[in-house]
Amino acid sequence: MSGATRDTAVRIVLLYPELLGTYGDGGNAIILAQRLRWRGIDAEVISVGADDAVPTSGDVYVLGGGEDGPQVEACRQLAAQGVLTRAVAGGSVVFAVCAGMQLIGTEFPGPDGAPVAGLGLVDCATVRTGEKRAVGELLTTTDTGFDIGELTGFENHAGRTRLGPDARPLGVVEAGVGNGSVGVNADGIRTEGVVAGDGAKVVGTYLHGPALARNPRLADLLLGWVVGELPPLGVEHRQVDEEAGLLRDERLAAVRAGNLDGVLHRTWKDRLLGRN
Amino acid sequence: MSPDGPGASPDRADPPPPPIRPVARAVLGMASAISRLSRRTGFGSGSVIGGQFAVLVHRRLLSQLTAGRNVALVSGTNGKTTTNHYLARALGTRGPVATNADGANMDAGMVVALGAAPDATNATLECDELWLPEVLRQVGEAVVVLLNLSRDQLDRTQEVRAIASLWRDALATCPTRAVVANADDPLVVWAAGGALEGPGARSITWVGTGSWWTLDATGCPACGGRIRFGPPQGWSCPSCGFARPSCDLWLDGDTLCTASDETIALPLALPGRANQANAAMATAAAARFGIGTQSAVTALAGVDDIAGRYRTETVDGQQVRLLLAKNPAGWQEALEMVDSSDAPAVVSINARIADGRDPSWLWDVPFERLAGRFVVASGERRHDLAVRLGYAGVDHACASSLSEAVAVVQRHSGRHRDTVIDVIGNYTAVQDHIGEVDR
Ligand SMILES: [Zn+2]
């Protein structure tokens, strides 16, 4: 299917923003829609509230991060409706960050630490290892056959994710935690995120929140799976990618200079709350 | 609303506070010497350093300095400095007031403020959200003013709910004179409810502020169910029945209404709905000190400068107004404040520890509201802002400082020399800009 010949708008479904949207994750839906519109391709963002029916005809389903309780609730509702599983089988794209990635795997830890069954859209399992929460910049290189360069973002998660034989990583960790100790593969490579290995168009990552803001090539990869080859952005819309380039340069330089932020700097507020 | 407690009589002067004890006086003397030294050596602004020394060597200093005074403690994520200013102005109608107007809102800043006003019977203290329980334990009977709770720093998870729990426990265990709480924030209502549970249950003044930030409160603090927000001006949890209490005082547009059928216009010098909410909270708190609604409103309406914010300054021949917005709720308020203008604007963010190191929250702020205006992105994380503005369809450019931002605005549209440019920034970004203006 090519963008020029579509007669309906690309439908980007943002799932449960009030359950899975604590870190500006809704930004990913905005970014995907704008990058289509700027190429003359109609796009609409459909925001699905908790308890609402999930549309069956979505082209891209976007899931964000959230706290443990809402994560279990979101998973329960998606499992009950079954729409997402059928949509993936029908070729729809899923992009899931952080808690969203954990719940599309086979299992993840619930609020009490006991494993909860995930949707099983992709072959990965998330566990608690007793290691401290991963908070800070995350930088990966991609060796997964996608020509999208380094991926940069911020991670904030307690779980660690083991990839099964039917999944591959989205990236290889250069700095940060990513999938963590259980995500080190047989070759000793530290992995980040997950891509379905069975041809399904499912991608998960610990680059949380508006991950696509810093990684426009990842956004275009997902969109290409929907509309085929993407025309380049028009001249009047190139400013945003130039600025994303400046943002990437700044973040990559900071990380490579050893500035990973977050947990390194604890304030009196953290101490008062007993945070590690 | 009936005032209660000491100092409740509107026509009698408040009795003076007890004199500061000799040891405390000596400690405060050393503290101010340290502060002077620190200022002279250029090591920070000074006053907090002296206060930190004082509370370190004299553990009961805050408790002693507040004994015999009528104290209000103002806390919440957004608006505490403004509300504290408002309340100080209202209390000023009864005589001298001790207040930490500079926003130094931990115990160190409080003892400095109290020590500087030994004759003030009334005190109103802005208090950091996380320090409130500890300060309550030390201060004892106070009027506790609870504004709101929203996400402040994204690299701290679950902080909002943790603070609500800390508040609730503290109110259930510490004696308070009264609680004044925002009825439109479910987390605040739940936290304030602690005051009704403890020994010697205290009365709560509920204020209808018309908050409209609901993103952080969809989970019911009482049962974990989902809160429904719906007209007219209500919220409730269908699972457990937890719901908005009926109010003693509320905002109806620009008018303040009370349960005793008063309606009072609110002609504030400060812009925006958020400041009307702050004024309503301060007025309700002032009533607990025996100050009538109209007197309080008359006194606080003229406040037009909060520790440098809202102040209109001239930078390289250009008038600018500095607005603080620390988090998505604050940004939404600030963007509403500047909505009426089509002049260029400057937005500025840093991501230092005090700001939170993760600016992902930018995507929860409706920057689309700025479409149609020329905007300059500034601050250390201006590239994050620039990308956000780009996807919001806002015509923009970047600048590394306030004066460079002003230069960019003037190059873009010289005609704006006569209009005021709004500069919205988060915490350390605004501090940097105030520093730039004052230099
Ligand atoms: Zn409930």
Side-chain angles (χ1 to χ4, degrees):
Chain A
M1 198 171 5
S2 127
T5 57
R6 281 184 73 96
D7 50 6
T8 57
V10 173
R11 289 159 64 91
I12 295 158
V13 180
L14 177 62
L15 289 169
Y16 308 144
E18 70 267 60
L19 296 175
L20 300 173
T22 44
Y23 296 99
D25 314 76
N28 292 323
I30 299 174
I31 290 163
L32 290 169
Q34 290 287 63
R35 299 187 71 80
L36 288 171
R37 292 177 190 136
W38 290 343
R39 293 168 161 117
I41 302 169
D42 263 358
E44 68 176 314
V45 174
I46 302 157
S47 184
V48 179
D51 298 333
D52 292 348
V54 178
T56 54
S57 58
D59 294 295
V60 186
Y61 292 84
V62 179
L63 294 97
E67 294 169 12
D68 297 343
Q71 179 187 24
V72 172
E73 176 63 15
C75 185
R76 194 189 60 76
Q77 294 198 20
L78 288 170
Q81 295 195 35
V83 173
L84 206 52
T85 308
R86 288 194 295 275
V88 167
S92 296
V93 174
V94 172
F95 180 61
V97 308
C98 206
M101 167 175 101
Q102 295 178 351
L103 76 82
I104 62 169
T106 52
E107 70 169 62
F108 63 94
D112 56 0
V116 174
L119 297 178
L121 300 180
V122 66
D123 186 14
C124 68
T126 299
V127 294
R128 293 253 165 85
T129 58
E131 292 163 285
K132 67 178 180 187
R133 197 174 178 84
V135 183
E137 292 281 334
L138 174 57
L139 174 61
T140 73
T141 51
T142 50
D143 73 338
T144 44
F146 305 129
D147 178 28
I148 53 176
E150 296 101 334
L151 296 176
T152 163
F154 201 88
E155 64 182 329
N156 185 345
H157 55 102
R160 301 293 191 267
T161 299
R162 179 184 299 118
L163 302 184
D166 292 333
R168 11 181 220 146
L170 176 62
V172 172
V173 176
E174 177 179 329
V177 175
N179 293 342
S181 52
V182 304
V184 177
N185 72 9
D187 303 323
I189 288 169
R190 297 164 65 213
T191 65
E192 196 296 302
V194 62
V195 179
D198 54 3
K201 299 167 183 166
V202 179
V203 173
T205 179
Y206 275 122
L207 299 163
H208 86 171
L212 301 179
R214 288 197 207 173
N215 302 291
R217 289 168 71 184
L218 176 57
D220 287 353
L221 173 77
L222 301 173
L223 293 173
W225 289 349
V226 178
V227 299
E229 197 178 337
L230 288 165
L233 288 180
V235 180
E236 69 276 24
H237 294 301
R238 284 190 195 151
Q239 183 186 356
V240 77
D241 277 0
E242 285 161 19
E243 285 165 342
L246 294 172
L247 174 57
R248 289 173 62 84
D249 292 349
E250 169 204 309
R251 292 290 95 203
L252 264 58
V255 169
R256 285 175 174 158
N259 180 4
L260 279 158
D261 317 315
V263 287
L264 296 177
H265 307 271
R266 236 158 283 139
T267 67
W268 61 269
K269 277 194 174 191
D270 298 311
R271 288 195 290 269
L272 213 67
L273 277 184
R275 291 256 168 66
N276 299 311
Chain B
M1 224 176 337
S2 64
D4 74 355
S9 167
D11 31 34
R12 227 181 19 234
D14 297 314
I20 296 177
R21 295 191 200 178
V23 173
R25 206 161 53 224
V27 169
L28 286 168
M30 284 187 273
S32 69
I34 290 170
S35 291
R36 270 198 308 277
L37 188 68
S38 139
R39 265 193 300 271
R40 210 164 293 158
T41 54
F43 190 75
S45 72
S47 78
V48 172
I49 294 203
Q52 277 164 345
F53 162 80
V55 294
L56 205 67
V57 300
H58 192 328
R59 298 268 172 193
R60 293 189 39 77
L61 191 56
L62 182 59
S63 167
Q64 278 190 17
L65 288 173
T66 49
R69 307 205 213 207
N70 308 321
V71 180
L73 299 172
V74 180
S75 199
T77 312
N78 287 325
K80 49 189 177 290
T81 305
T82 302
T83 305
N84 190 44
H85 269 249
Y86 277 160
L87 183 52
R89 207 53 92 78
L91 297 181
T93 60
R94 296 184 67 90
V97 180
T99 186
N100 50 348
D102 55 357
N105 62 14
M106 286 147 66
D107 52 356
M110 293 178 192
V111 298
V112 169
L114 292 160
D119 301 327
T121 304
N122 295 321
T124 178
L125 301 170
E126 169 186 339
C127 184
D128 184 277
E129 305 90 279
L130 278 163
W131 270 98
L132 184 64
E134 179 55 28
V135 169
L136 258 178
R137 272 185 275 280
Q138 292 188 37
V139 170
E141 303 242 327
V143 173
V144 184
V145 185
L146 306 177
L147 302 175
N148 50 61
L149 283 172
S150 75
R151 268 176 305 161
D152 211 10
Q153 301 179 18
L154 279 191
D155 47 36
R156 322 261 140 87
T157 50
Q158 301 221 344
E159 182 157 291
V160 177
R161 263 149 231 284
I163 295 171
S165 293
L166 288 173
W167 282 9
R168 188 177 168 92
D169 294 348
L171 289 169
T173 50
C174 298
T176 55
R177 174 137 63 101
V179 175
V180 177
N182 176 4
D184 285 317
D185 184 328
L187 282 172
V188 166
V189 172
W190 182 73
L196 302 175
E197 281 195 343
R202 299 296 159 151
S203 71
I204 302 175
T205 300
W206 296 112
V207 183
T209 60
S211 302
W212 57 99
W213 182 260
T214 57
L215 220 62
D216 296 317
T218 48
C220 173
C223 77
R226 207 154 37 252
I227 295 215
R228 310 281 168 179
F229 293 86
Q233 273 229 327
W235 54 263
S236 62
C237 170
S239 326
C240 74
F242 179 56
R244 180 183 190 264
S246 75
C247 291
D248 303 289
L249 182 142
W250 62 93
L251 278 171
D252 181 4
D254 296 346
T255 307
L256 203 55
C257 309
T258 71
S260 48
D261 287 335
E262 288 175 285
T263 55
I264 291 154
L266 214 50
L268 300 181
L270 293 182
R273 277 206 280 164
N275 285 324
Q276 291 178 336
N278 295 335
M281 293 295 295
T283 304
R288 294 295 194 162
F289 288 76
I291 296 162
T293 315
Q294 182 64 65
S295 325
V297 168
T298 306
L300 61 78
V303 171
D304 61 356
D305 174 354
I306 306 291
R309 308 174 216 155
Y310 300 108
R311 198 168 63 180
T312 301
E313 287 288 345
T314 306
V315 175
D316 302 335
Q318 174 67 57
Q319 289 196 79
V320 300
R321 180 174 67 158
L322 297 174
L323 300 170
L324 173 72
K326 294 185 297 182
N327 44 47
W331 277 88
Q332 179 159 323
E333 290 167 7
L335 290 174
E336 273 181 31
M337 281 180 205
V338 306
D339 246 2
S340 54
S341 169
D342 60 358
V346 178
V347 292
S348 184
I349 68 158
N350 291 344
R352 299 183 199 160
I353 295 180
D355 305 306
R357 299 230 153 205
D358 174 14
S360 293
W361 53 266
L362 284 176
W363 291 84
D364 287 329
V365 177
F367 284 106
E368 286 79 5
R369 297 181 83 118
L370 292 171
R373 300 168 67 171
F374 178 66
V375 174
V376 180
S378 183
E380 290 159 1
R381 297 303 288 268
R382 57 187 172 278
H383 297 312
D384 294 79
L385 258 174
V387 171
R388 175 71 188 95
L389 291 169
Y391 281 106
V394 178
D395 182 19
H396 66 278
C398 284
S400 61
S401 67
L402 184 55
S403 61
E404 194 189 319
V406 165
V408 171
V409 165
Q410 292 183 339
R411 267 203 305 279
H412 183 266
S413 42
R415 71 188 169 85
H416 288 289
R417 271 181 186 281
D418 296 332
T419 48
V420 177
I421 303 298
D422 285 315
V423 179
I424 311 173
N426 69 348
Y427 187 60
T428 67
V430 163
Q431 280 184 329
D432 283 357
H433 291 333
I434 290 175
E436 220 181 310
V437 166
D438 287 344
R439 203 155 47 222

